[in-house]
Amino acid sequence: MSHYGGHTRDVLINLRDRIVLGLVEDNPTPKAMFTAARVDLGLYDRDDPITLGDELRLAAELFSRTISALTKAQLARPIHYGWPRPDSELQVLQFADRESFDRYLTDPRRTSMLEERDRVVARTEVTEAVLLS
């Protein structure tokens, strides 16, 4: 659980810093957050729940105050979020339901090409999302 809490805390702090960057630089591209590296380096392993709860509250309050302080003009300033990377490809697939998605993942026409895909594609990430209307 501390990994999720630590990640959430760090995201809030990182997003606040990105907002400031976007306010002082024209068309900035912020550095990556290195989420996986934070876990691999053990940065969340010693977060105790009480301290983490305090840090989450503080990070959320700082983030909220930052957002509340912004004018419409400041909110309209562009910032380039570095995902997907410019050299990557993003595909969005929409399915009627989970069963349709599962059929897609196990379709023999798709699975027969996995070895070829792995040979020519550096990285594949599947992220499930829910569309909000």
Side-chain angles (χ1 to χ4, degrees):
M1 184 60 159
S2 66
H3 286 201
Y4 295 114
H7 174 69
T8 302
R9 173 202 56 216
D10 290 353
V11 166
L12 290 168
I13 292 168
N14 187 273
L15 288 175
R16 185 173 182 261
D17 288 345
R18 288 177 181 199
I19 290 168
V20 173
L21 179 67
L23 294 173
V24 298
E25 289 186 11
D26 290 330
N27 299 308
T29 301
K31 294 280 187 191
M33 200 174 127
F34 303 104
T35 302
R38 291 168 188 258
V39 173
D40 294 343
L41 293 167
L43 300 180
Y44 300 141
D45 292 342
R46 294 191 180 150
D47 284 345
D48 93 41
I50 302 299
T51 303
L52 182 56
D54 292 340
E55 291 171 350
L56 271 166
R57 275 188 291 281
L58 176 61
E61 288 171 10
L62 289 170
F63 181 76
S64 177
R65 285 200 318 254
T66 301
I67 295 295
S68 296
L70 299 178
T71 66
K72 286 186 179 192
Q74 289 170 326
L75 285 168
R77 285 184 58 86
I79 184 169
H80 174 75
Y81 185 71
W83 187 90
R85 292 186 328 264
D87 62 340
S88 68
E89 177 181 317
L90 174 65
Q91 297 179 359
V92 178
L93 306 175
Q94 187 173 357
F95 298 91
D97 51 35
R98 179 63 196 210
E99 185 178 308
S100 300
F101 176 62
D102 291 339
R103 280 197 311 270
Y104 162 76
L105 290 177
T106 59
D107 186 301
R109 294 170 294 179
R110 181 181 176 278
T111 58
S112 69
M113 298 298 293
L114 292 178
E115 189 175 305
E116 176 70 6
R117 184 208 58 204
D118 290 344
R119 186 179 71 73
V120 298
V121 176
R123 186 176 92 212
T124 299
E125 290 181 31
V126 176
T127 303
E128 192 171 344
V130 176
L131 294 177
L132 302 175
S133 53

